[in-house]
Amino acid sequence: MKLTLISLAFVAASLALPAEAASAPVDGHALPPGIAWLQGDVPAAFAKAKSENKPLFLYWGAVWCPPCNQVKATIFNRQDFIARTRQFVPVYLDGDSPDAQKLGSEFKVRGYPTMILFRPDGAEITRLPGEVDPERYLRTLELGLAAARPVKILLQSALAGDALADGDWQLLADYSWDTDQAQIVPEKQVAATLARLADKAPARPAGTALRLKLKALAAAAGEETPVTDRAQGLAVARAALAQPRVNADILINSAADIVKVLSADEAERQALTAQWDAALDKLAVDASLSTADRLGALSSRLALARLSQPKGELPRSLREEVKQRVAAADKATGNPYERQAVITAGADLLTQAGWLDESDALLKAELGRSHAPYYHMLILASNAKQRGDKAAALDWYRQAYEAANGPATRLQWGVSYLSGAIELAPGDEKRIESTASAIFKEAGGTPSAFYERNRRSLEKAVNRLKAWSRQQQQAAALARLAGQLDEVCGKLPAGDPQKPVCEGLAQSARS
């Protein structure tokens, strides 16, 4: 799972809730206080929005998700955001809520967090970016609330060459393209569409045009076969690197991808890496950024260093810097939501830098404190696997599954354990079959088991089992598991859209 570090927060103590409120214990699906969230019942929320003629703000997230917790710590607890919630109906849809995955499929939301602004009549206005700093986020929210036309219509007008207001261009530049899910652009066309949009963008305001060009470059660089104009790309990158704070989110999250795409040879790559590393070094100590994003900047510095040295130990000075920065972040972070992001980022950094024991120690110390310790257990499993300690890795996968809460979360964590067992102990038929059986049993008791994330988890489980059966010649075990899926499918009512999905999985297991 790729972790995206989010919310490059400005220091605004006067805008935040009091420390005792912001640091209140997290339990279950709790959210920061001060907002009248409607939780789970999305149809009722839309009815309320229509009757009150207010926009609706949909937040789709999960208790364990580090980026979601960072949003809670840096945006949802701000008094200026809380004040704005009186202008719309805020609804929180947790991925483990009843029918959440069915609703997620309906609204085309997949990644956590996704935040969407709707008109009172239910038409989607825009998807809000979770990775930007709170001031940009709030500005985008205000533009969305005041927008006369949805972003989908704005995009069509912009590409047609129509004149748009500055605010319309900003909505396009700050649209959450990463969570679009083909709502306004097919997934494979995002990079090309952004490039066309960037070409249409007016020179003024310069910041909006540059941001669109940088987003187009980042999207292209992230593709399997990136296509971009290197000369133009270098000009865009260097312009952005001259003022790194303005587009810090993109410069942090896309550093290595863009450098690889824009480098024609080793000398050019080293020159661009040095310039990018200097910008990231500034961001890593920028107090106006959230702690998680300062760690993200440091993580990207490691990724850039790996371009020169794919294997072996990184420079000692950089490794020591990682250890010191992570220790300081651990000590300075008290907010329980923010810790879920910071400790995860810190542990990952330590692992990247080769400090596996230190990463383990950080995670183990957090297990009794975190509201979602099962997330940290997966990183402990990964660390053990990297050491070659298969038994410890499997034990952490098992503990993570056993500790996981919520139907969607348990299916996802169960498949992680199953995948780990198939990879690390393929001959342990008893463990593999019993784990798969437990997953399918839980699916049978989950109302939305074959929608959205749940469906993808079960598809992954079946694919892993098929590959294992071919390698280990365990056809009998797979047949028994397919039979168990048949029983689950048989209990679904005729006409339920989930039934053919379930039957397809059972048939796939047999084939």
Side-chain angles (χ1 to χ4, degrees), residues 384-448:
K385 185 167 68 172
Q386 187 167 323
R387 288 190 186 90
D389 190 342
K390 296 181 180 181
L394 283 171
D395 192 54
W396 281 118
Y397 280 128
R398 176 190 59 78
Q399 289 188 61
Y401 178 34
E402 291 175 354
N405 291 315
T409 296
R410 286 195 56 77
L411 286 179
Q412 187 173 338
W413 260 247
V415 175
S416 292
Y417 179 30
L418 176 66
S419 299
I422 289 172
E423 177 186 356
L424 301 174
D428 192 343
E429 179 181 343
K430 181 178 180 181
R431 183 200 297 264
I432 291 168
E433 185 173 357
S434 65
T435 302
S437 179
I439 293 168
F440 294 159
K441 181 179 180 180
E442 292 202 37
T446 301
S448 298

Short mmCIF file of all heavy atoms in Angstrom, two decimals, residues 384-448:
data_model
loop_
_atom_site.label_atom_id
_atom_site.label_comp_id
_atom_site.label_asym_id
_atom_site.label_seq_id
_atom_site.Cartn_x
_atom_site.Cartn_y
_atom_site.Cartn_z
N ALA A 384 9.91 -7.76 9.47
CA ALA A 384 10.38 -9.12 9.75
C ALA A 384 10.67 -9.87 8.44
O ALA A 384 11.66 -10.59 8.33
CB ALA A 384 9.35 -9.87 10.58
N LYS A 385 9.81 -9.67 7.46
CA LYS A 385 10.02 -10.32 6.16
C LYS A 385 11.31 -9.82 5.52
O LYS A 385 12.07 -10.60 4.92
CB LYS A 385 8.82 -10.06 5.25
CG LYS A 385 8.88 -10.79 3.93
CD LYS A 385 7.54 -10.75 3.20
CE LYS A 385 7.19 -9.38 2.73
NZ LYS A 385 5.98 -9.39 1.84
N GLN A 386 11.59 -8.53 5.66
CA GLN A 386 12.81 -7.97 5.08
C GLN A 386 14.05 -8.56 5.74
O GLN A 386 15.08 -8.73 5.09
CB GLN A 386 12.80 -6.45 5.24
CG GLN A 386 13.93 -5.75 4.52
CD GLN A 386 13.74 -4.25 4.43
OE1 GLN A 386 12.62 -3.79 4.24
NE2 GLN A 386 14.80 -3.48 4.58
N ARG A 387 13.95 -8.89 7.02
CA ARG A 387 15.07 -9.54 7.72
C ARG A 387 15.23 -10.99 7.32
O ARG A 387 16.24 -11.62 7.61
CB ARG A 387 14.84 -9.49 9.23
CG ARG A 387 14.98 -8.15 9.90
CD ARG A 387 14.96 -8.35 11.41
NE ARG A 387 14.97 -7.09 12.10
CZ ARG A 387 13.88 -6.42 12.46
NH1 ARG A 387 12.68 -6.92 12.17
NH2 ARG A 387 13.96 -5.26 13.09
N GLY A 388 14.20 -11.57 6.74
CA GLY A 388 14.22 -12.99 6.43
C GLY A 388 13.64 -13.84 7.53
O GLY A 388 13.74 -15.07 7.49
N ASP A 389 12.99 -13.21 8.52
CA ASP A 389 12.39 -13.93 9.65
C ASP A 389 10.94 -14.25 9.29
O ASP A 389 10.01 -13.52 9.66
CB ASP A 389 12.47 -13.07 10.91
CG ASP A 389 12.10 -13.85 12.17
OD1 ASP A 389 11.46 -14.91 12.04
OD2 ASP A 389 12.43 -13.38 13.28
N LYS A 390 10.73 -15.36 8.60
CA LYS A 390 9.40 -15.71 8.11
C LYS A 390 8.43 -15.98 9.25
O LYS A 390 7.25 -15.60 9.17
CB LYS A 390 9.50 -16.92 7.20
CG LYS A 390 10.29 -16.68 5.93
CD LYS A 390 10.32 -17.93 5.05
CE LYS A 390 11.10 -17.69 3.77
NZ LYS A 390 11.12 -18.90 2.91
N ALA A 391 8.90 -16.64 10.29
CA ALA A 391 8.00 -16.98 11.40
C ALA A 391 7.47 -15.72 12.08
O ALA A 391 6.27 -15.61 12.37
CB ALA A 391 8.74 -17.86 12.42
N ALA A 392 8.36 -14.76 12.32
CA ALA A 392 7.92 -13.52 12.96
C ALA A 392 6.98 -12.74 12.05
O ALA A 392 5.98 -12.17 12.50
CB ALA A 392 9.14 -12.67 13.32
N ALA A 393 7.27 -12.72 10.77
CA ALA A 393 6.41 -12.01 9.82
C ALA A 393 5.02 -12.61 9.83
O ALA A 393 4.01 -11.88 9.90
CB ALA A 393 7.02 -12.07 8.42
N LEU A 394 4.92 -13.92 9.77
CA LEU A 394 3.61 -14.57 9.78
C LEU A 394 2.87 -14.31 11.08
O LEU A 394 1.64 -14.14 11.08
CB LEU A 394 3.78 -16.07 9.55
CG LEU A 394 4.06 -16.49 8.11
CD1 LEU A 394 4.43 -17.96 8.04
CD2 LEU A 394 2.85 -16.21 7.22
N ASP A 395 3.60 -14.27 12.17
CA ASP A 395 2.95 -14.02 13.46
C ASP A 395 2.37 -12.60 13.51
O ASP A 395 1.28 -12.39 14.03
CB ASP A 395 3.94 -14.24 14.60
CG ASP A 395 3.25 -14.28 15.95
OD1 ASP A 395 2.30 -15.07 16.10
OD2 ASP A 395 3.63 -13.50 16.85
N TRP A 396 3.10 -11.64 12.96
CA TRP A 396 2.58 -10.27 12.94
C TRP A 396 1.39 -10.15 12.00
O TRP A 396 0.41 -9.45 12.31
CB TRP A 396 3.67 -9.27 12.55
CG TRP A 396 4.60 -8.92 13.67
CD1 TRP A 396 5.95 -9.14 13.72
CD2 TRP A 396 4.24 -8.29 14.89
NE1 TRP A 396 6.46 -8.68 14.90
CE2 TRP A 396 5.44 -8.15 15.65
CE3 TRP A 396 3.05 -7.83 15.45
CZ2 TRP A 396 5.46 -7.56 16.92
CZ3 TRP A 396 3.06 -7.26 16.71
CH2 TRP A 396 4.25 -7.12 17.43
N TYR A 397 1.42 -10.83 10.85
CA TYR A 397 0.25 -10.84 9.96
C TYR A 397 -0.96 -11.42 10.69
O TYR A 397 -2.08 -10.90 10.57
CB TYR A 397 0.53 -11.67 8.71
CG TYR A 397 1.34 -10.97 7.65
CD1 TYR A 397 2.49 -11.56 7.11
CD2 TYR A 397 0.95 -9.73 7.13
CE1 TYR A 397 3.22 -10.94 6.11
CE2 TYR A 397 1.68 -9.10 6.13
CZ TYR A 397 2.82 -9.70 5.63
OH TYR A 397 3.54 -9.09 4.65
N ARG A 398 -0.73 -12.50 11.43
CA ARG A 398 -1.82 -13.14 12.17
C ARG A 398 -2.37 -12.19 13.23
O ARG A 398 -3.60 -12.01 13.36
CB ARG A 398 -1.33 -14.44 12.81
CG ARG A 398 -2.38 -15.13 13.69
CD ARG A 398 -1.77 -16.27 14.49
NE ARG A 398 -0.69 -15.83 15.37
CZ ARG A 398 -0.89 -15.20 16.54
NH1 ARG A 398 -2.11 -14.94 16.97
NH2 ARG A 398 0.15 -14.85 17.27
N GLN A 399 -1.48 -11.59 14.02
CA GLN A 399 -1.93 -10.68 15.07
C GLN A 399 -2.70 -9.49 14.49
O GLN A 399 -3.69 -9.04 15.06
CB GLN A 399 -0.73 -10.17 15.87
CG GLN A 399 -0.06 -11.21 16.76
CD GLN A 399 1.00 -10.58 17.65
OE1 GLN A 399 0.70 -9.71 18.47
NE2 GLN A 399 2.24 -11.01 17.48
N ALA A 400 -2.23 -9.00 13.36
CA ALA A 400 -2.90 -7.86 12.73
C ALA A 400 -4.33 -8.23 12.32
O ALA A 400 -5.27 -7.46 12.54
CB ALA A 400 -2.11 -7.39 11.52
N TYR A 401 -4.48 -9.42 11.75
CA TYR A 401 -5.82 -9.87 11.34
C TYR A 401 -6.71 -10.05 12.56
O TYR A 401 -7.88 -9.61 12.57
CB TYR A 401 -5.68 -11.17 10.57
CG TYR A 401 -6.98 -11.80 10.12
CD1 TYR A 401 -8.09 -11.02 9.76
CD2 TYR A 401 -7.11 -13.19 10.03
CE1 TYR A 401 -9.27 -11.62 9.33
CE2 TYR A 401 -8.29 -13.79 9.59
CZ TYR A 401 -9.37 -12.99 9.25
OH TYR A 401 -10.53 -13.57 8.82
N GLU A 402 -6.18 -10.65 13.59
CA GLU A 402 -6.98 -10.89 14.79
C GLU A 402 -7.39 -9.60 15.47
O GLU A 402 -8.47 -9.51 16.08
CB GLU A 402 -6.21 -11.78 15.77
CG GLU A 402 -6.04 -13.22 15.26
CD GLU A 402 -5.18 -14.06 16.19
OE1 GLU A 402 -4.61 -13.50 17.16
OE2 GLU A 402 -5.07 -15.28 15.94
N ALA A 403 -6.56 -8.57 15.38
CA ALA A 403 -6.84 -7.31 16.06
C ALA A 403 -7.71 -6.36 15.23
O ALA A 403 -8.28 -5.41 15.78
CB ALA A 403 -5.53 -6.60 16.42
N ALA A 404 -7.82 -6.61 13.93
CA ALA A 404 -8.53 -5.68 13.04
C ALA A 404 -10.01 -5.59 13.40
O ALA A 404 -10.63 -6.57 13.80
CB ALA A 404 -8.38 -6.14 11.59
N ASN A 405 -10.56 -4.39 13.24
CA ASN A 405 -11.97 -4.12 13.55
C ASN A 405 -12.71 -3.66 12.30
O ASN A 405 -12.16 -2.91 11.49
CB ASN A 405 -12.09 -3.03 14.62
CG ASN A 405 -11.62 -3.51 15.97
OD1 ASN A 405 -11.95 -4.61 16.40
ND2 ASN A 405 -10.83 -2.69 16.65
N GLY A 406 -13.97 -4.05 12.18
CA GLY A 406 -14.81 -3.59 11.08
C GLY A 406 -14.81 -4.57 9.93
O GLY A 406 -13.77 -5.16 9.60
N PRO A 407 -15.96 -4.78 9.28
CA PRO A 407 -16.05 -5.82 8.24
C PRO A 407 -15.13 -5.61 7.05
O PRO A 407 -14.46 -6.56 6.61
CB PRO A 407 -17.53 -5.75 7.82
CG PRO A 407 -18.02 -4.41 8.27
CD PRO A 407 -17.25 -4.11 9.51
N ALA A 408 -15.06 -4.40 6.51
CA ALA A 408 -14.19 -4.16 5.36
C ALA A 408 -12.73 -4.28 5.76
O ALA A 408 -11.90 -4.84 5.02
CB ALA A 408 -14.47 -2.78 4.76
N THR A 409 -12.40 -3.74 6.93
CA THR A 409 -11.02 -3.81 7.42
C THR A 409 -10.61 -5.26 7.66
O THR A 409 -9.51 -5.67 7.29
CB THR A 409 -10.88 -2.99 8.70
OG1 THR A 409 -11.14 -1.61 8.40
CG2 THR A 409 -9.49 -3.12 9.30
N ARG A 410 -11.50 -6.04 8.25
CA ARG A 410 -11.14 -7.43 8.55
C ARG A 410 -10.93 -8.24 7.26
O ARG A 410 -10.02 -9.07 7.20
CB ARG A 410 -12.20 -8.07 9.44
CG ARG A 410 -12.12 -7.57 10.88
CD ARG A 410 -12.92 -8.45 11.84
NE ARG A 410 -12.51 -9.85 11.78
CZ ARG A 410 -11.41 -10.34 12.34
NH1 ARG A 410 -10.58 -9.55 13.00
NH2 ARG A 410 -11.15 -11.62 12.25
N LEU A 411 -11.74 -8.00 6.25
CA LEU A 411 -11.52 -8.69 4.98
C LEU A 411 -10.16 -8.31 4.39
O LEU A 411 -9.40 -9.16 3.93
CB LEU A 411 -12.64 -8.36 3.99
CG LEU A 411 -14.00 -9.02 4.23
CD1 LEU A 411 -14.99 -8.57 3.17
CD2 LEU A 411 -13.89 -10.54 4.23
N GLN A 412 -9.84 -7.03 4.43
CA GLN A 412 -8.57 -6.56 3.86
C GLN A 412 -7.39 -7.12 4.63
O GLN A 412 -6.40 -7.58 4.04
CB GLN A 412 -8.55 -5.03 3.86
CG GLN A 412 -7.36 -4.43 3.15
CD GLN A 412 -7.48 -2.92 3.02
OE1 GLN A 412 -8.55 -2.35 3.10
NE2 GLN A 412 -6.35 -2.25 2.86
N TRP A 413 -7.47 -7.08 5.95
CA TRP A 413 -6.36 -7.58 6.77
C TRP A 413 -6.27 -9.11 6.70
O TRP A 413 -5.18 -9.67 6.74
CB TRP A 413 -6.53 -7.11 8.22
CG TRP A 413 -5.69 -5.93 8.55
CD1 TRP A 413 -4.64 -5.89 9.42
CD2 TRP A 413 -5.80 -4.60 8.02
NE1 TRP A 413 -4.10 -4.62 9.46
CE2 TRP A 413 -4.80 -3.81 8.61
CE3 TRP A 413 -6.66 -4.00 7.11
CZ2 TRP A 413 -4.62 -2.47 8.31
CZ3 TRP A 413 -6.50 -2.66 6.81
CH2 TRP A 413 -5.49 -1.91 7.40
N GLY A 414 -7.42 -9.77 6.57
CA GLY A 414 -7.39 -11.23 6.43
C GLY A 414 -6.67 -11.64 5.16
O GLY A 414 -5.90 -12.60 5.13
N VAL A 415 -6.91 -10.89 4.08
CA VAL A 415 -6.25 -11.21 2.81
C VAL A 415 -4.76 -10.90 2.90
O VAL A 415 -3.94 -11.59 2.29
CB VAL A 415 -6.92 -10.44 1.65
CG1 VAL A 415 -6.16 -10.65 0.35
CG2 VAL A 415 -8.37 -10.90 1.49
N SER A 416 -4.38 -9.90 3.67
CA SER A 416 -2.94 -9.64 3.89
C SER A 416 -2.28 -10.84 4.58
O SER A 416 -1.18 -11.25 4.22
CB SER A 416 -2.75 -8.38 4.74
OG SER A 416 -3.14 -7.23 4.02
N TYR A 417 -2.97 -11.39 5.58
CA TYR A 417 -2.44 -12.57 6.27
C TYR A 417 -2.37 -13.76 5.32
O TYR A 417 -1.37 -14.48 5.25
CB TYR A 417 -3.32 -12.89 7.48
CG TYR A 417 -2.91 -14.10 8.28
CD1 TYR A 417 -1.57 -14.50 8.38
CD2 TYR A 417 -3.86 -14.85 8.97
CE1 TYR A 417 -1.20 -15.61 9.13
CE2 TYR A 417 -3.50 -15.96 9.72
CZ TYR A 417 -2.18 -16.34 9.80
OH TYR A 417 -1.82 -17.44 10.54
N LEU A 418 -3.44 -13.95 4.54
CA LEU A 418 -3.46 -15.05 3.58
C LEU A 418 -2.33 -14.91 2.57
O LEU A 418 -1.61 -15.89 2.28
CB LEU A 418 -4.81 -15.07 2.86
CG LEU A 418 -4.97 -16.11 1.76
CD1 LEU A 418 -4.96 -17.52 2.33
CD2 LEU A 418 -6.27 -15.87 0.98
N SER A 419 -2.15 -13.72 2.03
CA SER A 419 -1.08 -13.49 1.05
C SER A 419 0.28 -13.75 1.67
O SER A 419 1.17 -14.33 1.03
CB SER A 419 -1.16 -12.06 0.52
OG SER A 419 -2.38 -11.82 -0.14
N GLY A 420 0.46 -13.29 2.92
CA GLY A 420 1.72 -13.53 3.61
C GLY A 420 1.99 -15.00 3.81
O GLY A 420 3.12 -15.48 3.63
N ALA A 421 0.95 -15.75 4.18
CA ALA A 421 1.11 -17.19 4.40
C ALA A 421 1.46 -17.91 3.10
O ALA A 421 2.32 -18.80 3.07
CB ALA A 421 -0.17 -17.77 4.99
N ILE A 422 0.80 -17.53 2.01
CA ILE A 422 1.08 -18.17 0.72
C ILE A 422 2.50 -17.86 0.26
O ILE A 422 3.20 -18.72 -0.29
CB ILE A 422 0.04 -17.71 -0.33
CG1 ILE A 422 -1.31 -18.33 -0.01
CG2 ILE A 422 0.49 -18.06 -1.74
CD1 ILE A 422 -2.46 -17.80 -0.86
N GLU A 423 2.96 -16.64 0.50
CA GLU A 423 4.31 -16.27 0.08
C GLU A 423 5.39 -16.90 0.95
O GLU A 423 6.40 -17.39 0.45
CB GLU A 423 4.45 -14.74 0.12
CG GLU A 423 5.85 -14.25 -0.24
CD GLU A 423 6.02 -12.75 -0.05
OE1 GLU A 423 5.04 -12.07 0.29
OE2 GLU A 423 7.16 -12.27 -0.23
N LEU A 424 5.16 -16.86 2.28
CA LEU A 424 6.23 -17.25 3.21
C LEU A 424 6.17 -18.70 3.65
O LEU A 424 7.19 -19.26 4.06
CB LEU A 424 6.17 -16.34 4.44
CG LEU A 424 6.34 -14.84 4.16
CD1 LEU A 424 6.12 -14.02 5.43
CD2 LEU A 424 7.71 -14.55 3.57
N ALA A 425 4.99 -19.31 3.60
CA ALA A 425 4.85 -20.71 4.05
C ALA A 425 3.89 -21.45 3.14
O ALA A 425 2.84 -21.92 3.56
CB ALA A 425 4.38 -20.76 5.50
N PRO A 426 4.21 -21.55 1.83
CA PRO A 426 3.27 -22.17 0.89
C PRO A 426 2.95 -23.62 1.20
O PRO A 426 1.91 -24.14 0.76
CB PRO A 426 3.99 -22.03 -0.45
CG PRO A 426 5.44 -21.89 -0.11
CD PRO A 426 5.46 -21.14 1.18
N GLY A 427 3.82 -24.29 1.94
CA GLY A 427 3.56 -25.68 2.28
C GLY A 427 2.65 -25.86 3.48
O GLY A 427 2.25 -26.98 3.79
N ASP A 428 2.30 -24.79 4.15
CA ASP A 428 1.46 -24.87 5.34
C ASP A 428 -0.01 -24.84 4.90
O ASP A 428 -0.72 -23.84 5.04
CB ASP A 428 1.77 -23.70 6.28
CG ASP A 428 1.15 -23.87 7.66
OD1 ASP A 428 0.22 -24.70 7.80
OD2 ASP A 428 1.57 -23.16 8.59
N GLU A 429 -0.47 -25.96 4.37
CA GLU A 429 -1.83 -26.02 3.82
C GLU A 429 -2.88 -25.73 4.89
O GLU A 429 -3.88 -25.04 4.62
CB GLU A 429 -2.09 -27.40 3.22
CG GLU A 429 -3.50 -27.55 2.66
CD GLU A 429 -3.76 -28.93 2.08
OE1 GLU A 429 -2.79 -29.66 1.82
OE2 GLU A 429 -4.94 -29.27 1.90
N LYS A 430 -2.66 -26.21 6.09
CA LYS A 430 -3.66 -26.02 7.15
C LYS A 430 -3.85 -24.53 7.44
O LYS A 430 -4.98 -24.05 7.54
CB LYS A 430 -3.22 -26.75 8.41
CG LYS A 430 -4.23 -26.64 9.55
CD LYS A 430 -3.77 -27.42 10.77
CE LYS A 430 -4.77 -27.30 11.92
NZ LYS A 430 -4.33 -28.05 13.13
N ARG A 431 -2.75 -23.80 7.57
CA ARG A 431 -2.84 -22.38 7.87
C ARG A 431 -3.55 -21.64 6.72
O ARG A 431 -4.42 -20.80 6.94
CB ARG A 431 -1.45 -21.78 8.09
CG ARG A 431 -1.48 -20.29 8.47
CD ARG A 431 -0.14 -19.61 8.20
NE ARG A 431 0.95 -20.15 8.98
CZ ARG A 431 1.40 -19.65 10.12
NH1 ARG A 431 0.84 -18.56 10.63
NH2 ARG A 431 2.42 -20.20 10.74
N ILE A 432 -3.13 -21.95 5.50
CA ILE A 432 -3.67 -21.23 4.33
C ILE A 432 -5.15 -21.51 4.15
O ILE A 432 -5.95 -20.58 3.97
CB ILE A 432 -2.87 -21.61 3.08
CG1 ILE A 432 -1.45 -21.05 3.18
CG2 ILE A 432 -3.56 -21.11 1.81
CD1 ILE A 432 -0.49 -21.59 2.15
N GLU A 433 -5.54 -22.78 4.24
CA GLU A 433 -6.95 -23.09 4.03
C GLU A 433 -7.82 -22.53 5.16
O GLU A 433 -8.90 -22.00 4.92
CB GLU A 433 -7.16 -24.60 3.90
CG GLU A 433 -8.62 -24.95 3.57
CD GLU A 433 -8.84 -26.43 3.28
OE1 GLU A 433 -7.84 -27.20 3.27
OE2 GLU A 433 -10.00 -26.81 3.07
N SER A 434 -7.34 -22.63 6.39
CA SER A 434 -8.16 -22.13 7.51
C SER A 434 -8.30 -20.62 7.47
O SER A 434 -9.36 -20.08 7.79
CB SER A 434 -7.54 -22.57 8.85
OG SER A 434 -6.26 -21.98 9.04
N THR A 435 -7.23 -19.93 7.03
CA THR A 435 -7.31 -18.47 6.92
C THR A 435 -8.28 -18.07 5.82
O THR A 435 -9.14 -17.19 6.01
CB THR A 435 -5.93 -17.87 6.64
OG1 THR A 435 -5.03 -18.24 7.68
CG2 THR A 435 -6.00 -16.34 6.55
N ALA A 436 -8.19 -18.73 4.66
CA ALA A 436 -9.11 -18.43 3.57
C ALA A 436 -10.55 -18.74 3.96
O ALA A 436 -11.48 -17.99 3.65
CB ALA A 436 -8.72 -19.22 2.33
N SER A 437 -10.73 -19.85 4.68
CA SER A 437 -12.07 -20.23 5.12
C SER A 437 -12.65 -19.17 6.07
O SER A 437 -13.84 -18.83 5.98
CB SER A 437 -12.02 -21.59 5.81
OG SER A 437 -13.30 -21.96 6.28
N ALA A 438 -11.80 -18.65 6.95
CA ALA A 438 -12.26 -17.61 7.88
C ALA A 438 -12.66 -16.35 7.13
O ALA A 438 -13.66 -15.69 7.45
CB ALA A 438 -11.16 -17.30 8.89
N ILE A 439 -11.89 -16.01 6.09
CA ILE A 439 -12.21 -14.83 5.28
C ILE A 439 -13.56 -15.00 4.59
O ILE A 439 -14.41 -14.10 4.60
CB ILE A 439 -11.10 -14.58 4.24
CG1 ILE A 439 -9.80 -14.17 4.93
CG2 ILE A 439 -11.52 -13.51 3.23
CD1 ILE A 439 -8.59 -14.19 4.01
N PHE A 440 -13.78 -16.17 3.98
CA PHE A 440 -15.04 -16.39 3.27
C PHE A 440 -16.22 -16.46 4.24
O PHE A 440 -17.33 -16.03 3.90
CB PHE A 440 -14.95 -17.68 2.45
CG PHE A 440 -13.95 -17.61 1.32
CD1 PHE A 440 -13.42 -18.76 0.76
CD2 PHE A 440 -13.53 -16.39 0.81
CE1 PHE A 440 -12.51 -18.69 -0.29
CE2 PHE A 440 -12.62 -16.30 -0.23
CZ PHE A 440 -12.10 -17.46 -0.78
N LYS A 441 -15.97 -16.97 5.43
CA LYS A 441 -17.03 -17.00 6.44
C LYS A 441 -17.43 -15.57 6.82
O LYS A 441 -18.62 -15.25 6.94
CB LYS A 441 -16.56 -17.76 7.68
CG LYS A 441 -17.63 -17.86 8.77
CD LYS A 441 -17.13 -18.66 9.97
CE LYS A 441 -18.21 -18.73 11.06
NZ LYS A 441 -17.73 -19.51 12.23
N GLU A 442 -16.43 -14.70 7.00
CA GLU A 442 -16.74 -13.31 7.33
C GLU A 442 -17.45 -12.63 6.18
O GLU A 442 -18.36 -11.81 6.39
CB GLU A 442 -15.45 -12.56 7.70
CG GLU A 442 -14.84 -13.03 9.00
CD GLU A 442 -13.93 -11.99 9.64
OE1 GLU A 442 -14.25 -10.79 9.57
OE2 GLU A 442 -12.91 -12.39 10.22
N ALA A 443 -17.06 -12.97 4.95
CA ALA A 443 -17.74 -12.39 3.79
C ALA A 443 -19.21 -12.77 3.80
O ALA A 443 -20.08 -11.95 3.45
CB ALA A 443 -17.07 -12.86 2.50
N GLY A 444 -19.50 -14.01 4.22
CA GLY A 444 -20.88 -14.46 4.26
C GLY A 444 -21.73 -13.69 5.26
O GLY A 444 -22.95 -13.64 5.13
N GLY A 445 -21.10 -13.09 6.25
CA GLY A 445 -21.84 -12.32 7.24
C GLY A 445 -21.74 -10.82 7.03
O GLY A 445 -22.17 -10.04 7.89
N THR A 446 -21.19 -10.41 5.89
CA THR A 446 -21.02 -8.98 5.59
C THR A 446 -22.00 -8.57 4.50
O THR A 446 -21.92 -9.08 3.38
CB THR A 446 -19.57 -8.70 5.11
OG1 THR A 446 -18.66 -9.11 6.14
CG2 THR A 446 -19.37 -7.23 4.81
N PRO A 447 -22.93 -7.64 4.80
CA PRO A 447 -23.97 -7.28 3.83
C PRO A 447 -23.44 -6.75 2.49
O PRO A 447 -24.03 -6.99 1.46
CB PRO A 447 -24.77 -6.19 4.56
CG PRO A 447 -24.53 -6.46 6.02
CD PRO A 447 -23.13 -6.97 6.10
N SER A 448 -22.31 -6.04 2.50
CA SER A 448 -21.77 -5.47 1.26
C SER A 448 -20.45 -6.12 0.88
O SER A 448 -19.51 -5.47 0.45
CB SER A 448 -21.57 -3.95 1.42
OG SER A 448 -22.80 -3.31 1.66
#
